[in-house]
Amino acid sequence: MIDDVLVGLGTSPWALWAMFGLVLADSLLVLVPGEIAVTAFGALAVTVGSPPLWAVIVLAGLAAFTGDAIVYILGRRVGMRRWRWMRTRRVAGAIEWAGGRLQRNSATVVFTARFIPFARLAVNLTAGATRVPAPRYLTMVGIAAGAWALYQAAVGAIVATLLPGGPLAAVILSITVAVLLGLIVDVGVTRISRGRDERARSGHA
């Protein structure tokens, strides 16, 4: 029965726009499951045949770019301290992290942050507030958003291709794999950043 629901979801004309809305909201609110939605629709594209995988990737990338661009513009207009959520410990820490790295290697930071929710928000907000030139920055954001959408949808599509069974099994396993990969990326980036910070402090000592 759940498989039938997923088939109906995949073939619904509103399905892709629902995914678009989730990804857009995820760029702005962080806690919305945008990654999970893209991975699930990537799995449905293979098991159900609808929506088309290319459409999942294109609309997810467009939504990610739009959300990141809105946060960048927000940073330019209101700065990084005006609202309470900007001053929470996690967001403030991420903003401090982003500020130092944007000056040194903005392309690497933009690509890395696109895969880490709080870092993504902080980097876009900080880039806007520190007046990183819009044409160059938004070009990097667009490329990163496209790569992110391709990756998330591909996880779902690959798992669904390899896994025998209906849409439910494919969606559940692909989401699990995507979450685990996200945690691995998050931990890896954190360790690399700490190592760089420690080397930098040692060099200045």
Side-chain angles (χ1 to χ4, degrees), residues 64-107:
F65 170 77
T66 302
D68 290 351
I70 289 172
V71 176
Y72 170 82
I73 293 169
L74 184 68
R76 288 181 74 96
R77 296 291 179 86
V78 306
M80 298 179 290
R81 301 287 297 174
R82 180 173 299 183
W83 293 319
R84 181 180 297 176
W85 63 267
M86 296 176 175
R87 299 190 294 272
T88 61
R89 185 174 65 177
R90 187 165 187 181
V91 174
I95 287 173
E96 182 180 358
W97 172 87
R101 282 160 181 76
L102 272 172
Q103 302 303 319
R104 297 197 297 268
N105 197 340
S106 55

Side-chain angles (χ1 to χ4, degrees), residues 20-88:
F20 183 97
L22 286 172
V23 174
L24 179 62
D26 183 34
S27 298
L28 305 174
L29 303 175
V30 178
L31 299 178
V32 177
E35 287 92 345
I36 290 176
V38 179
T39 300
F41 275 100
L44 288 177
V46 171
T47 56
V48 177
S50 180
L53 185 59
W54 67 264
V56 173
I57 295 169
V58 169
L59 277 182
L62 181 60
F65 170 77
T66 302
D68 290 351
I70 289 172
V71 176
Y72 170 82
I73 293 169
L74 184 68
R76 288 181 74 96
R77 296 291 179 86
V78 306
M80 298 179 290
R81 301 287 297 174
R82 180 173 299 183
W83 293 319
R84 181 180 297 176
W85 63 267
M86 296 176 175
R87 299 190 294 272
T88 61

